[in-house]
Amino acid sequence: MTPRTPTTAPAGTATPTDSADAAIRAGQLRTDDAGSRLTLERHVRDTDRAVALARDVVTGLTSIPRALPPKWFYDATGGMLFDEITRLPEYYPTRRERAILDRHAGDIAAACPADTLVELGSGTSTKTRLLLDALRDGGSLRRFVPFDVDEQTLARAGQGLLAAYPDLTVHAVVGDFERHLGRLPAGGRRLVAFLGGTIGNMRPAVRTEFLRTVRAQTAPDDALLLGTDLVKDPDRLVAAYDDGAGVTAAFNRNVLTVINRELGADFDVRGFAHIALWNAADSWIEMRLRAVRDQRVSIDALALTVDFERGEDLLTEISAKFTPDRLDAELAAAGWATAQRWTDPDGDFAVTLATPSSHPVAAPI
């Protein structure tokens, strides 16, 4: 689970001018347009999002077994629910990763004294400030490149960072992992951060393609910083995705609310039970919505009718968990070499620094 939550500008933070807004609508906000150090480069528009949602819903609900990608959890309500999830006692990953960065951000900056920090799936850039602070304190930081699908979040977070880091320039990229990684700005020594365990939401072949795409753009001195959840007791894993307060259940069902609102569907949201289970064969958690009765769902915008039988599942998310050996093998298959790894004291979560290798090796078995 990874958030894509709109945020509000901090008090006293400047907002783009009318001319800057026009530049944003045109597709790109340059520093000379706004009289600031912020560049906002847009490759995803509202119409792209609508088309993508329609495509994913048609594909996912007409396939067997049925499945939806987890990115559609994150409207404003989904973002707030995920924020609440991160504070639940059962949900350890956010706290463990934060603890690692609190303790080792300086070590990371020393190992890769980058002048450019790139963050994929940036959101509000909260944890990223630990890395920005460490790179700044080391004297190398010049530029921050946040990459996310939510334009409003990037613009407002970027403005907040400019206020906090007077010598920083921000080049925000509004894009989709599946299509726009090649649009990341080049130049300088770059540390590319992909945190939160988000890579676990990808299936193995997609993970490898993602890592290879990032690798293809990197220079020899660049590095990748990857956050991953580690394999542990299945009971703890399931509890992290099925909390006693029911917050994760509400988060899971929210994808149906999004489809109802944006595509004119009539899902009975309470007609689906939240299910979290451990898939030992694939080493991942699965979140599902299970129909509690037979029902027919109409989706007006797609002229589509879908029948669910009682007990039928709709897969909404996978969250892969890794062993160090498996992670090293997957990185190597995509052309990366593990340089350093840090874990929390309990060994629940890992942050791995990887550097470009000469050539990818055979894919892991």
Side-chain angles (χ1 to χ4, degrees):
M1 291 182 282
T2 212
R4 298 237 193 310
T5 314
T7 185
T8 55
T13 299
T15 57
T17 63
D18 290 342
S19 61
D21 287 337
I24 290 172
R25 289 191 295 272
Q28 194 171 66
L29 172 65
R30 291 292 185 185
T31 54
D32 55 352
D33 293 326
S36 72
R37 308 182 312 278
L38 175 65
T39 299
L40 183 61
E41 185 176 336
R42 178 203 279 169
H43 301 290
V44 173
R45 302 176 185 274
D46 291 342
T47 53
D48 296 328
R49 182 183 186 281
V51 169
L53 175 61
R55 181 188 63 237
D56 287 346
V57 170
V58 169
T59 301
L61 295 188
T62 59
S63 63
I64 298 176
R66 289 172 170 151
L68 291 171
K71 62 184 177 182
W72 302 116
F73 288 134
Y74 296 100
D75 63 351
T77 299
M80 288 186 291
L81 287 169
F82 181 79
D83 187 59
E84 187 174 349
I85 287 170
T86 65
R87 295 192 294 270
L88 294 170
E90 298 96 334
Y91 193 77
Y92 60 85
T94 302
R95 292 190 296 275
R96 297 295 190 266
E97 185 178 54
R98 175 67 187 243
I100 294 168
L101 295 176
D102 269 329
R103 185 171 183 178
H104 295 291
D107 299 326
I108 294 166
C112 181
D115 56 63
T116 298
L117 177 63
V118 179
E119 186 179 21
L120 306 179
S122 180
T124 57
S125 305
T126 303
K127 285 182 291 188
T128 319
R129 292 191 180 221
L130 297 170
L131 296 172
L132 291 171
D133 287 346
L135 292 168
R136 178 196 59 193
D137 294 346
S140 65
L141 181 66
R142 299 292 180 270
R143 179 175 60 161
F144 178 50
V145 178
F147 179 104
D148 198 273
V149 73
D150 191 311
E151 177 181 332
Q152 183 182 29
T153 298
L154 287 178
R156 290 175 174 170
Q159 290 283 0
L161 289 172
L162 292 180
Y165 300 87
D167 297 324
L168 186 70
T169 62
V170 177
H171 186 133
V173 179
V174 185
D176 188 309
F177 289 148
E178 298 174 1
R179 295 181 292 152
H180 302 123
L181 286 175
R183 304 299 183 94
L184 291 171
R189 185 176 187 180
R190 300 183 301 172
L191 175 62
V192 181
F194 193 38
L195 301 174
T198 308
I199 197 166
N201 296 144
M202 303 175 182
R203 292 179 181 271
V206 178
R207 290 199 299 264
T208 298
E209 182 61 26
F210 169 84
L211 291 169
R212 284 177 175 166
T213 300
V214 177
R215 170 65 184 88
Q217 301 180 59
T218 54
D221 288 339
D222 293 342
L224 172 69
L225 191 69
L226 189 63
T228 51
D229 199 5
L230 300 177
V231 172
K232 55 186 64 67
D233 178 8
D235 289 341
R236 282 192 64 209
L237 288 168
V238 170
Y241 293 82
D242 192 14
D243 61 278
V247 181
T248 311
F251 174 77
N252 195 7
R253 292 189 187 100
N254 188 61
V255 70
L256 304 182
T257 302
V258 170
I259 297 171
N260 282 350
R261 182 183 65 246
E262 300 195 22
L263 296 178
D266 61 358
F267 276 99
D268 175 6
V269 175
R270 287 293 172 181
F272 288 82
H274 166 68
I275 303 295
L277 57 86
W278 171 242
N279 181 332
D282 292 316
S283 293
W284 64 50
I285 285 284
E286 295 182 1
M287 287 208 325
R288 303 180 179 189
L289 292 171
R290 179 169 295 168
V292 299
R293 57 175 175 78
D294 293 349
Q295 57 182 290
R296 172 166 291 182
V297 177
S298 297
I299 306 175
D300 291 346
L302 306 178
L304 178 67
T305 300
V306 182
D307 289 317
F308 284 87
E309 296 182 356
R310 180 181 178 183
E312 184 176 356
D313 284 355
L314 170 63
L315 179 66
T316 53
E317 183 180 73
I318 65 166
S319 185
K321 312 303 175 185
F322 298 85
T323 64
D325 288 345
R326 177 74 185 191
L327 182 56
D328 290 345
E330 291 199 16
L331 286 166
W336 296 97
T338 299
Q340 295 189 54
R341 176 171 294 124
W342 300 270
T343 63
D344 60 279
D346 294 328
D348 285 338
F349 201 92
V351 174
T352 301
L353 185 71
T355 54
S357 60
S358 298
H359 299 285
V361 300
I365 298 174

